[in-house]
Amino acid sequence: MDLRIFTEPQQGASYDDLLRVARTTEAAGYDAFFRSDHYLKMGDADGLPGPTDAWITLAGLARETERIRLGTLVTAATFRYPGPLAISVAQVDQMSGGRVEFGIGTGWYDDEHTAYGLTLPPLKERFDRYAEQLAVITGLWKTPAGKTFSYSGDYYTLADSPALPKPSQSPAPPVIIGGGGKKRTPALAAQYADEFNLPFVDAETALAQFQRVDAAAEAIGRDPQKILRSVALVLAAGRDDAEVARRASAIGRETAELRANGLAGTAAELVDRIGQWREKTGITRLYLQVLDLADLDHIEFVASEVAPQLD
């Protein structure tokens, strides 16, 4: 079971905050450090000192870490044109020595688009654009060196692109797709995804969606086993019930609710719950959403007390 740390910096974090978390993540032995791609806080958080750009952040972390994988859950397709985005991600992959993983989604948070002058099209158009972005980005990365890439879609057109730069990973960084859509999401995952992620759902909902992705892959002749299964859950772990409650309270959640809907409890409880997830859904990767970025002991506790029991 790969354990990854997943952060939401729009809730309030500077680059230095993220660097401390990333370095702790690496030193503690986790597989990867991931972050969201949002420009506006959610809920009651103050969001200070303000948003950080996902790929600028990851570029910095690429040079200040050595081993951990780095990526997004997930880059918003509405934030960037696919050609420049392919360049940015390829460059960060080079800067990291081939440690980038590329999560991408349609974009959804209306208020952040309004706040920063971005267009959020209707859902159907968002999916149409998203599908074209996946085709363009992966097409640029996978075009052989010395060849050109062209694409003609309803929203994006590329003519004789040199398809440069190339990412360090060949033919491309792993692509992560997720979400609960019952038709287009599984179809796009079957075509493009190396990993399919379900964030913040129950095991039964996750399993049903994994099965839809498997069916979509089989329908186009792709082996479903080639698509890794993962979930993301909010974390509130502790040495005893009092510490669990303190950590839940620090992020504005109730312990009982997190035990039911997230990943909360003592080390023994977490090991048991992760085992249940693995048995029910076949996941092999788990993103631990850490919301209190000042509590580095939280990250270290799970690495030392939970991770060794998952082998």
Side-chain angles (χ1 to χ4, degrees):
M1 179 69 69
D2 293 337
L3 294 183
R4 297 182 157 189
I5 296 299
F6 170 40
T7 62
E8 299 273 3
Q10 77 279 353
Q11 299 301 92
S14 66
Y15 173 76
D16 287 339
D17 294 328
L18 295 175
L19 176 59
R20 281 190 291 272
V21 174
R23 284 177 167 165
T24 300
T25 297
E26 184 163 77
Y30 288 92
D31 178 60
F33 171 90
F34 269 61
R35 60 156 293 160
S36 60
D37 187 19
H38 285 296
Y39 289 142
L40 191 68
K41 72 179 184 69
M42 302 170 191
D44 296 332
D46 60 25
L48 296 176
T52 50
D53 182 86
W55 287 101
I56 290 176
T57 297
L58 294 174
L61 296 179
R63 307 302 290 179
E64 299 195 79
T65 57
E66 297 179 357
R67 177 190 58 79
I68 50 172
R69 308 288 292 176
L70 300 165
T72 51
L73 282 183
V74 288
T75 291
T78 51
F79 287 2
R80 305 164 182 90
Y81 285 99
L85 179 56
I87 291 170
S88 296
V89 178
Q91 184 179 13
V92 178
D93 195 48
Q94 292 174 355
M95 293 167 69
S96 70
R99 292 185 284 126
V100 159
E101 303 194 5
F102 180 57
I104 184 169
T106 59
W108 62 270
Y109 187 17
D110 185 62
D111 287 349
E112 71 186 342
H113 290 76
T114 302
Y116 287 97
L118 300 166
T119 299
L120 184 67
L123 184 59
K124 180 184 182 303
E125 181 180 334
R126 292 208 305 276
F127 263 95
D128 292 343
R129 287 180 177 271
Y130 177 46
E132 290 191 17
Q133 286 223 0
L134 284 163
V136 169
I137 293 167
T138 58
L140 287 167
W141 288 339
K142 294 179 180 180
T143 296
K147 302 293 185 179
T148 60
F149 175 79
S150 296
Y151 179 86
S152 180
D154 291 332
Y155 299 100
Y156 305 107
T157 299
L158 290 76
D160 299 322
S161 170
L164 297 172
K166 296 303 180 196
S168 180
Q169 296 173 91
S170 181
V175 173
I176 304 169
I177 290 175
K182 295 183 179 180
K183 293 182 179 180
R184 297 194 70 181
T185 297
L188 289 171
Q191 187 172 0
Y192 294 106
D194 298 287
E195 175 181 341
F196 192 82
N197 177 265
L198 266 296
F200 319 125
V201 298
D202 59 72
E204 290 72 23
T205 300
L207 177 59
Q209 186 70 337
F210 290 143
Q211 290 172 338
R212 292 185 192 102
V213 172
D214 286 356
E218 290 171 349
I220 62 171
R222 186 180 179 195
D223 182 357
Q225 297 299 315
K226 299 294 186 182
I227 304 174
L228 185 149
R229 295 180 177 186
S230 68
V231 297
L233 297 170
V234 185
L235 181 69
R239 294 164 181 83
D240 52 36
D241 287 346
E243 191 167 62
V244 174
R246 176 178 64 77
R247 286 185 164 135
S249 177
I251 60 173
R253 304 285 286 270
E254 296 292 333
T255 305
E257 181 267 325
L258 278 181
R259 277 194 163 102
N261 300 317
L263 190 63
T266 62
E269 288 178 291
L270 264 60
V271 170
D272 182 61
R273 186 153 173 77
I274 293 170
Q276 292 174 15
W277 266 97
R278 179 160 46 189
E279 183 177 351
K280 289 179 181 178
T281 67
I283 61 168
T284 57
R285 181 169 290 162
L286 176 60
Y287 292 82
L288 306 175
Q289 189 193 50
V290 175
L291 295 174
D292 182 359
L293 300 187
D295 187 1
L296 301 180
D297 178 68
H298 197 189
I299 295 169
E300 292 168 340
F301 168 73
V302 174
S304 63
E305 301 299 326
V306 177
Q309 300 185 60
L310 299 177
D311 296 334

